[in-house]
Each structure stands twice: as C-alpha cells, then as structure tokens.
DNA sequence: CTTAACCATTGACATTTTCAACGAATAGCG
DNA sequence: CGCTATTCGTTGAAAATGTCAATGGTTAAG
C-alpha cells in the first residue's frame, strides 16, 4: 500500500509564507481537504457531506422544518429541497406537513434512514480520525471546541 | 447601527445536535462564514479571497510557478489561469517565463500589486478579527496553530 | 375579510469545480 | 543525437454549487 503522494509535497519552503498565518486561508484549506476526504469515504454509500449533514439532523432529537435546516446549515432553501429529494427518493427521510403550520414540512428519518446514518457516521468518523491524525486527542478536542465557538 | 440578525438565530436548541461535534461540519461552517465575511470586505477592492491568496503568495519571498500556486492552494491549474488573468489585467502581477524551464511561468508582483496586497491584507485582518472575536487572543493563536498542523 | 408575510418549490443565472485535450517545452533513454 | 514520455500553461465543456426572483398554498395581523 503506497502512501498517496501529498499534492503539495515539495513546497515546504512555503510553510513560512505570510499566507500561512491567515486563519481564513487555513480554514479554507483544512475544510477543503477534510470534506473532500469525507466525501470520498461517503461515496461508497452514494452520499456527500451535505446529505450526511441533513441526515444527521433528521436523525437527531429535534424535529426540524426545511427552513430550519436551511438556516442551520447555511444553505439556500432550494438546496435543501434538492438534498431532501435525494434522501427521500432513497427512502431515508420523509417530509411531513407540519400540522401546526401547513406551510412548513417537518423532516423525519425512516428506519432505513437511521441505518444509513449509522453507517455514514462510522465512515465520517474514520475520515475525521485520519484528517486530524497530526493532532493529539487533547488537541482534537480543543480544535473542536474552538471551531464551535467560531461557527456559532 | 443595528446588529445584522444572525441567520441561525433561534436554533440554540440545536447546539447539542450530534452534528455539532463533527469537525468536518464545524470546519465547513466556520470556513464558509469566515471567507464570505472576508469576501464582503475585499469586495471594495474588487477582490475575492482566492485572488487575495494568489496575490499574497506572489508578494512573498519565494518566486512560484503557476503549478506551485495550484498545488499549494489546492486549486485546479485552470483556476489559477483565471485568477492570474484577472490580476494581470489589473496590473497587479506579471507572468514571466522561467528561463530555466520555458514551460513554466513565474509569477511576480508589480509595485501596484504590492500596494494592493497591503490594502487587502488590512481588510482581511479586520475581517479575521471580527470572525474570531468570540475567541481570546490566546485561543486565536491556538486555533491557528492547530489548523496549520491539520492543513499541511 | 383583506392584506401582508412566510414556507417550500421551481427555474434561471452566476460562480466554482472537475476533467479531457492541446501546443510548446523538457527529460530520459536508446 | 533522435525518439518517446512527461510536464507546463491554456482552453473549453460539463457537472456541481451558490444566489436570487417568482409562484401557489398557507398563516398572521389588522
């Protein structure tokens, strides 16, 4: 098993570049490599991170409307529609008209959806473990803590 | 001056959602909000983060080829072409055929380019300060340190 | 009851990503 | 030296993503 060559190999001399101190850049790069790694793993379930995120929320404690999903995930309502079309076609979630406000639709997971989420979750955790492998367990926790403060 | 309403306001009940513990999700969200904030500031210079990144590297110590920019920024070579077309049209950078390998082109900043970078850098720093405002100075340093370890 | 606002959805459009193919130039090897 | 394979920047097409206005159905406010 050959280690996949780092695409940015041979550029160690750039580690001192001013850009390397910019959090915007670091975040973008970390997020980009991280989610593309996760997407690769999720591909075997024909999922992408965006589907995984919606599915995860659908499988959570709170029952959410599409509007709420849209706000929380910072995605346009129309994108939520597309993602839900995929997930619903696969029988992973259901749209239920909110009885208290028939404009909204509440997203609920099916049994198959929960199963799918369980599998996906494992894959994502593997991917995360690899992505964060340069960090110690304590550092991973700290990173998550800091990101959470920034992201909300 | 009214504080722009947080788009994800009223969803505090989701802060305990399982998804909130996933670094992939946190990174994506932090990166997304962070760079869209930076983009807004950079708009007054008619720049985006991607242009800023290339300009920053061009203004650094190392003289880089397009291929190297592409690898370091994890962007397709064709995207580098487009970004450089913009920057060159504005007279911020120059493409110089590498005398040691006439296939490659070395990117060099012009005087105007350095000036532009200086202005842009200030804007980005302001944006970063706002984005990371929920963190203490020590936490910001720690976040940068951790991100750097992950991103490279 | 009427008007304004909200939700999910659709469709159009811009931006970004991804990929294959090309000419020019170099590197490796006989 | 000559031939072949590889690399570089560039172009163009296709797919994915993001952004935005308009719609029908529904609710809220007066």
């Amino acid at each position: 098993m050959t280690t996949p060559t780092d695409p940015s190999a041979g550029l160690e001399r750039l580690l001192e570049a001013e850009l390397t101190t910019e959090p915007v850049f670091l975040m973008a790069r970390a997020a980009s490599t991280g989610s593309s790694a996760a997407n690769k793993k999720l591909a075997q379930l024909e999922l992408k991170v965006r589907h995984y995120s919606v599915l995860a929320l659908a499988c959570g404690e709170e029952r959410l409307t599409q509007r709420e999903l849209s706000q929380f995930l910072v995605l346009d309502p129309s994108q939520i529609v597309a993602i839900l079309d995929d997930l619903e076609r696969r029988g992973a979630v259901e749209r239920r008209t909110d009885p208290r406000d028939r404009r909204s639709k509440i997203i609920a997971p099916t049994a198959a959806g929960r199963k799918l989420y369980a599998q996906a979750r494992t894959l994502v955790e593997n991917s995360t473990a690899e992505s964060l492998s340069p960090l110690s367990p304590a550092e991973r926790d700290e990173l998550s803590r800091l990101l959470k403060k920034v992201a909300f």
Side-chain angles (χ1 to χ4, degrees), chain A:
Chain A
M1 173 186 172
T2 56
T3 305
T5 305
D6 181 347
S8 73
L11 296 179
E12 300 79 9
R13 54 183 168 128
L14 286 183
L15 291 184
E16 296 170 24
E18 209 168 21
L19 188 59
T20 288
T21 67
E22 299 273 13
V24 229
F25 168 67
L26 294 175
M27 297 256 255
R29 183 160 160 147
S32 151
T33 63
S35 68
S36 99
N39 275 330
K40 267 175 207 153
K41 296 250 181 189
L42 286 174
Q44 60 190 280
L45 294 180
E46 291 181 289
L47 287 177
K48 300 193 177 180
V49 174
R50 62 206 292 112
H51 300 96
Y52 172 77
S53 299
V54 169
L55 186 56
L57 290 175
C59 291
E61 298 291 329
E62 302 284 343
R63 290 283 70 90
L64 303 176
T65 67
Q66 296 185 203
R67 175 68 45 173
E68 290 168 324
L69 288 172
S70 150
Q71 292 172 334
F72 195 71
L73 298 177
V74 197
L75 290 177
D76 190 87
S78 61
Q79 300 194 59
I80 299 294
V81 169
I83 296 170
L84 287 177
D85 284 348
D86 290 343
L87 291 177
E88 199 172 32
R89 193 180 312 120
R90 292 182 58 169
V93 302
E94 286 177 3
R95 291 186 233 227
R96 297 177 185 162
T97 305
D98 185 344
R100 287 170 309 184
D101 182 347
R102 304 167 37 79
R103 285 173 301 185
S104 321
K105 296 186 183 167
I106 293 178
I107 306 307
T110 64
R114 292 191 187 277
K115 239 180 210 167
L116 182 61
Y117 173 55
Q119 302 176 63
R121 195 167 167 357
T122 302
L123 295 178
V124 169
E125 274 173 1
N126 289 347
S127 171
T128 301
E130 290 178 20
S131 294
L132 301 189
S133 62
L135 302 185
S136 73
E139 286 176 324
R140 295 177 207 189
D141 290 347
E142 179 68 357
L143 178 61
S144 293
R145 191 183 70 82
L146 297 175
L147 285 175
K148 194 166 176 179
K149 282 183 92 168
V150 171
F152 293 101

